[in-house]
Amino acid sequence: MTKANKKETIERLVIKIPKDLADYLRKTFPHGKRSKFLAECIKNYKNKREIEDMEEKLRFASKKRQ
């Protein structure tokens, strides 16, 4: 089954952020776009962390080889 055919389920999430940030989020991103924005931010963060972890493992491995 390809990713295009696979239907991903949607999960409702409650987050607690300061009121001024919540107001800015509501003003900047219309209804329906907020979830997409937050999901993209989380995906970017996850990708960045995976890259950092991989770099750390490579650094450790290169130190072992010396």
Side-chain angles (χ1 to χ4, degrees), residues 29-45:
F29 297 96
H31 185 73
K33 304 290 184 198
R34 292 177 214 140
S35 296
K36 187 175 181 179
F37 171 73
L38 289 173
E40 197 64 37
C41 288
I42 293 168
K43 286 179 187 177
N44 289 339
Y45 179 80

Side-chain angles (χ1 to χ4, degrees), residues 8-63:
E8 191 169 359
T9 61
I10 302 297
E11 185 77 22
R12 184 172 297 271
L13 177 70
V14 176
I15 59 172
K16 294 183 179 187
I17 57 175
K19 184 176 180 354
D20 59 333
L21 290 178
D23 291 340
Y24 176 78
L25 185 68
R26 287 185 191 106
K27 185 174 77 172
T28 306
F29 297 96
H31 185 73
K33 304 290 184 198
R34 292 177 214 140
S35 296
K36 187 175 181 179
F37 171 73
L38 289 173
E40 197 64 37
C41 288
I42 293 168
K43 286 179 187 177
N44 289 339
Y45 179 80
K46 180 183 175 189
N47 187 34
K48 182 181 170 190
R49 291 292 306 175
E50 287 173 351
I51 291 170
E52 288 173 355
D53 289 344
M54 197 179 308
E55 288 173 344
E56 185 63 32
K57 288 177 184 176
L58 288 171
R59 260 189 240 107
F60 181 73
S62 68
K63 285 181 183 179

